Amino acid sequence: VQVRAALFITCLADTLFPDTGRATVAVLERVGVEVDFPLEQTCCGQMHANTGYGHEVLGLVRRFVRVFGDAEIVVTPSGSCAAMVREGYERMAVEAGDDALAREVRALAPRVFELSELLVRRMGVEDVGASFHHRVTYHPTCHSLRLLKVGDAPVRLLRAVRGIDLVELPEAEQCCGFGGTFAVKNSDTSTAMLTDKMRRILDTRADVCTAADSSCLMHIGGGLKRSRAGVRVMHLAEILASEDS
Amino acid sequence: MKGGFPKAARDALADSQLRRNIGHATSTIRAKRARVVGEVADWEALRDAGAEIKERTLRHLDVHLERLEESVTRAGGTVHWARDGAEACAVVADVARAHGSGEVIKVKSLATDEIDLNEALERVGVHAVETDLAELIVQLGDNDKQSHILVPAIHRNRAEIAQLFRRELGVEVSDDPAELTAAARAHLRAKFLSVPVGVSGANFAIADTGHVVVVESEGNGRMCTTLPEVLVSVVGIEKLLPRFRDLEVMLQLLPRSSTAERMNPYTSIWSGVSDRDGPREFHLVLLDGGRTDVLADEVGRAALRCIRCSACLNVCPVYERTGGRAYESVYPGPIGAILTPQLHGLENAPTLPWASSLCGACYEVCPVKIDIPSILVHLRGRVVRETKAEGLSERAAMGAMARVFSSRRTYEAAQRMAKLGRGPLANAALRPWTRSRELPAVPDQTFRDWWREERG
């Protein structure tokens, strides 16, 4: 089946991690998805909403509905941004008393997918034709796990990658300590959580830690880099896009 | 509250003994809970039922409360209505003094801790003896405070407790748990048999029948509620259940969620007074203490469903590292982060709604399905809108970011600025980030630049 999907890149990947975006496009096109990128998109408003400034970004909810409302499918390489649209938008619209917006959000939400969900659950694809000859451990990010409930979709995709040495991360389901502005407002607690997550990652002797969210990876990767751990982070999409042999 | 949670957490994180004690205790109980919950095939249906019962009760709380008053009065008890902690404390003090007692014995109770009952009694010359082992440990310690709803002394290991008993009770004990409990037992037994006034909280109060329910593990609660001549129970108004049969659901949910047991060892249920058995006098103090205000918040009020099981504490990655005292409240952990600011006023605990990474582990285990992460976000919004706690610089930064994202033109301009290391997208609260983490380099080409170049 020919799938057409509008890419919701997220402000973070757009501005700081364009490689993740390019990889997402490459993977989607390789499995036959026709990708569109609406240039009018900016940010989903998650940072504002989760920090208590949701009332200031209702415009971003309206903007998202306007930009993506006609898309057959919306796909994003971020579990938490997908969860924001699917779980958070309706609540914001209802709290603001905007019933029309709530209706539009409800109509759009079921068509918004995180990348691994779209591939595995919606399209039934597990082997995306990737090869990646490295030892890799996967961190399931909290919002993918508990809000989107992507389950083992990312792991299924990784298992099908040629040459990969996939090792299980102990206590994988514990939060890495990012939590958006939590990482700066409670930076000490965030760092304590990060330290424990890094210890688990190092214990696996993996040389790459992957996840399906650039924000958590920015935090974990920033910590690994600071401690000169010699382990790098890569977004799931980048591993799936890899053809290293 | 000076410095709030971030500061208190910083101090707690530096305590290696505390980190080890709490890390060990929470991971043990987490695994046990998962095991006993896994045994129940209809656990999710039970959670739904628990949430529904509590939700419906709260919706008509006024009606149920008056029925409870009738039932308790009919059974020979006396009901007192307390608007706040001071009123509730005064009732207990009056009862103790009326019986000429300089001491009361207490069952572990969060409601009485919430209103600082022990301190209030001390001021009128009445000493409260905590009979729960963990509460006793906390009471014996110098300036010690509870750090967990269910296991108040979770921050102590047995070596520390043995030292405390040797010093405070003057007994020779090793750190063997059996020896420690025997020492506490000998100390408490004398109190149970001599003190005429008992004080308890309650896990549930049944409107239809006037029954009050205390669920516990040690049996000390049973002693306090049966041996004294007079019993006073201080109960938050949200503890109500309409019908006796509602206990069927709650008594399945509570022990598995809290102590990770299939059933708790002691469940004491009584109504009013009965002839020749138990206390001669029973007083039920119904405490509002801010709960009516919580009910007025349509989102926040789900916090009143809480049955104080503490499952959310045990799975919380923040609590596991900071311990309970960093929350500076009787109610720590995720439930404390939504309950304390609502009960005591947002301006008195403005940092607590941010004491969470919103990972959602708490919501997953809550036996009455309180969506704690959503309530945290809701309360963050209320703190921003209703108090001045969040500083002007944060408000300005958030305002600037909101303007950046409001149009494609301003967004793309900010991206160009960020490449030069300037503007709202480059300067977002960097210092606390870079203390422990590197910042990603801003790439030369944004994704959209690439897209336009390649596909545009």
Side-chain angles (χ1 to χ4, degrees):
Chain A
V1 281
Q2 179 68 18
V3 177
R4 292 171 55 110
L7 175 62
F8 156 34
I9 187 63
T10 79
C11 59
L12 190 70
D14 183 11
T15 308
L16 290 177
F17 305 104
D19 290 348
T20 300
R22 285 196 287 270
T24 305
V25 173
V27 172
L28 288 169
E29 290 183 342
R30 204 197 281 145
V31 299
V33 176
E34 193 183 316
V35 182
D36 176 36
F37 180 70
L39 282 157
E40 286 298 316
Q41 63 181 288
T42 59
C43 164
C44 68
Q46 184 187 188
M47 180 187 73
H48 281 86
N50 283 352
T51 312
Y53 295 82
H55 54 288
E56 288 192 14
V57 291
L58 210 63
L60 295 182
V61 180
R62 295 199 181 95
R63 179 178 194 87
F64 192 96
V65 170
R66 195 170 66 240
V67 173
F68 289 104
D70 293 333
E72 215 174 286
I73 276 177
V74 180
V75 62
T76 179
S78 162
S80 66
C81 298
M84 180 66 207
V85 175
R86 250 159 54 182
E87 306 287 320
Y89 272 14
E90 187 181 347
R91 202 168 48 237
M92 283 171 74
V94 169
E95 267 200 52
D98 192 335
D99 294 339
L101 183 62
R103 270 197 303 278
E104 289 178 305
V105 165
R106 267 196 296 274
L108 175 58
R111 285 180 279 135
V112 177
F113 295 88
E114 178 274 330
L115 177 64
S116 71
E117 275 184 318
L118 176 66
L119 293 170
V120 177
R121 306 258 181 266
R122 167 88 187 202
M123 298 174 61
V125 176
E126 291 186 12
D127 184 350
V128 297
S131 67
F132 188 69
H133 290 77
H134 294 277
R135 191 172 171 89
V136 176
T137 194
Y138 166 72
H139 166 64
T141 59
C142 300
H143 291 183
S144 303
L145 197 68
R146 301 195 181 90
L147 290 176
L148 297 183
K149 305 198 190 318
V150 302
D152 65 352
V155 175
R156 283 170 179 272
L157 290 163
L158 286 168
R159 276 200 207 114
V161 173
R162 279 151 205 78
I164 197 168
D165 176 13
L166 189 64
V167 280
E168 200 177 319
L169 180 65
E171 289 187 51
E173 296 188 357
Q174 263 225 358
C175 178
C176 70
F178 173 64
T181 45
F182 174 80
V184 289
K185 289 172 87 86
N186 278 288
S187 77
D188 292 282
T189 308
S190 167
T191 298
M193 291 159 73
L194 172 62
T195 301
D196 289 341
K197 181 57 72 180
M198 290 197 298
R199 180 168 32 234
R200 298 298 182 194
I201 293 169
L202 296 178
D203 282 347
T204 65
R205 307 219 159 266
D207 42 71
V208 174
C209 172
T210 190
D213 217 314
S214 301
S215 53
C216 309
L217 285 174
M218 178 171 77
H219 168 74
I220 298 171
L224 287 168
K225 203 166 170 189
R226 168 60 57 86
S227 47
R228 310 296 188 251
V231 177
R232 69 187 192 281
V233 295
M234 277 176 81
H235 192 282
L236 175 69
E238 292 171 47
I239 293 181
L240 298 181
S242 165
E243 292 169 294
D244 67 1
S245 64
Chain B
M1 111 120 205
K2 199 168 175 295
F5 184 82
K7 167 77 176 73
R10 178 153 64 238
D11 297 341
L13 290 166
D15 185 336
S16 57
Q17 185 70 64
L18 178 88
R19 293 280 291 276
R20 191 156 314 117
N21 293 354
I22 296 193
H24 174 71
T26 52
S27 62
T28 308
I29 197 162
R30 261 203 313 269
K32 256 181 86 178
R33 179 207 159 270
R35 207 159 51 235
V36 298
V37 162
E39 296 170 350
V40 184
D42 61 349
W43 183 254
E44 288 307 316
L46 272 173
R47 288 179 76 209
D48 286 333
E52 273 303 310
I53 290 169
K54 278 291 194 177
E55 201 53 34
R56 267 186 294 136
T57 310
L58 291 171
R59 212 170 296 151
H60 306 288
L61 193 57
D62 50 343
V63 178
H64 296 305
L65 279 167
E66 289 188 345
R67 274 186 29 237
L68 176 69
E69 181 183 32
E70 272 173 43
S71 312
V72 171
T73 310
R74 208 182 314 124
T78 308
V79 174
H80 308 261
W81 299 87
R83 257 174 302 220
D84 52 27
E87 287 189 6
C89 290
V91 173
V92 183
D94 286 349
V95 171
R97 278 188 305 200
H99 290 267
S101 179
E103 278 186 324
V104 299
I105 47 174
K106 279 187 71 199
V107 189
K108 178 180 170 347
S109 147
L110 287 161
T112 59
D113 292 337
E114 176 189 323
I115 61 176
D116 290 326
L117 176 66
N118 294 8
E119 291 78 0
L121 290 177
E122 213 67 57
R123 280 196 293 276
V124 296
V126 177
H127 178 63
V129 182
E130 295 290 352
T131 68
D132 176 81
L133 178 55
E135 290 281 1
L136 176 70
I137 292 165
V138 172
Q139 194 174 37
L140 291 175
D142 280 335
N143 292 317
D144 202 357
K145 278 242 192 298
Q146 313 100 316
S147 63
H148 190 280
I149 291 177
L150 194 81
V151 200
I154 195 169
H155 55 287
R156 297 285 200 187
N157 64 21
R158 54 199 166 103
E160 293 173 287
I161 295 164
Q163 209 170 28
L164 188 68
F165 278 15
R166 285 195 287 268
R167 196 181 70 214
E168 297 296 324
L169 301 180
V171 289
E172 255 326 299
V173 283
S174 74
D175 65 358
D176 173 42
E179 264 188 60
L180 290 172
T181 45
R185 181 192 176 93
H187 170 75
L188 291 170
R189 207 36 78 94
K191 299 291 181 189
F192 289 134
L193 294 172
S194 62
V195 177
V197 179
V199 176
S200 86
N203 293 93
F204 308 101
I206 314 293
D208 262 1
T209 58
H211 283 107
V212 178
V213 184
V214 166
V215 172
E216 45 135 4
S217 298
E218 298 175 0
N220 294 344
R222 166 97 28 111
M223 303 258 212
C224 287
T225 55
T226 52
L227 290 172
E229 289 162 35
V230 187
L231 174 61
V232 192
S233 299
V234 181
V235 181
I237 54 173
E238 84 285 15
K239 289 299 178 77
L240 213 133
L241 294 175
R243 305 162 304 178
F244 194 84
R245 56 181 282 200
D246 296 326
L247 286 175
E248 182 232 332
V249 172
M250 295 303 169
L251 292 180
Q252 290 187 73
L253 288 170
L254 182 54
R256 287 183 199 258
S257 300
S258 58
T259 45
E261 291 169 302
R262 297 187 179 101
M263 192 181 172
N264 50 289
Y266 293 88
T267 302
S268 301
I269 305 180
W270 70 93
S271 66
V273 292
S274 38
D275 209 22
R276 305 176 67 84
D277 183 22
R280 306 261 60 78
E281 220 180 287
F282 173 59
H283 298 268
L284 178 63
V285 183
L286 291 171
L287 171 69
D288 186 314
R291 286 158 176 79
T292 302
D293 296 333
V294 183
L295 269 179
D297 182 328
E298 285 183 30
V299 178
R301 69 179 169 213
L304 293 180
R305 288 185 210 158
C306 175
I307 56 173
R308 312 284 188 263
C309 73
S310 70
C312 63
L313 278 62
N314 300 328
V315 297
C316 177
V318 172
Y319 176 87
E320 182 183 343
R321 290 170 181 84
T322 64
R325 287 177 295 184
Y327 296 79
E328 299 175 311
S329 162
V330 174
Y331 304 109
I335 186 63
I338 60 170
L339 205 49
T340 306
Q342 294 199 84
L343 286 178
H344 300 314
L346 296 171
E347 61 287 352
N348 295 314
T351 58
L352 284 183
W354 278 273
S356 163
S357 64
L358 304 179
C359 83
C362 47
Y363 182 28
E364 225 171 26
V365 297
C366 177
V368 286
K369 295 184 92 162
I370 303 170
D371 184 353
I372 295 177
S374 295
I375 298 178
L376 285 166
V377 168
H378 168 74
L379 293 176
R380 291 175 184 187
R382 283 192 53 198
V383 171
V384 167
R385 295 192 306 272
E386 298 170 28
T387 78
K388 295 193 176 352
E390 295 309 295
L392 288 174
S393 61
E394 181 185 293
R395 287 171 194 273
M398 285 293 177
M401 296 281 267
R403 279 190 296 282
V404 163
F405 294 133
S406 69
S407 78
R408 176 174 164 186
R409 187 181 55 80
T410 47
Y411 174 61
E412 291 181 356
Q415 284 185 320
R416 286 192 294 274
M417 295 273 282
K419 284 180 207 162
L420 308 170
R422 296 211 305 267
L425 290 187
N427 299 341
L430 295 185
R431 243 208 348 209
W433 179 272
T434 52
R435 270 204 295 264
S436 59
R437 291 148 292 210
E438 300 286 332
L439 271 173
V442 181
D444 293 335
Q445 197 182 36
T446 62
F447 173 78
R448 61 179 56 225
D449 291 340
W450 172 79
W451 179 273
R452 264 186 298 236
E453 208 176 280
E454 290 285 311
R455 313 289 170 109

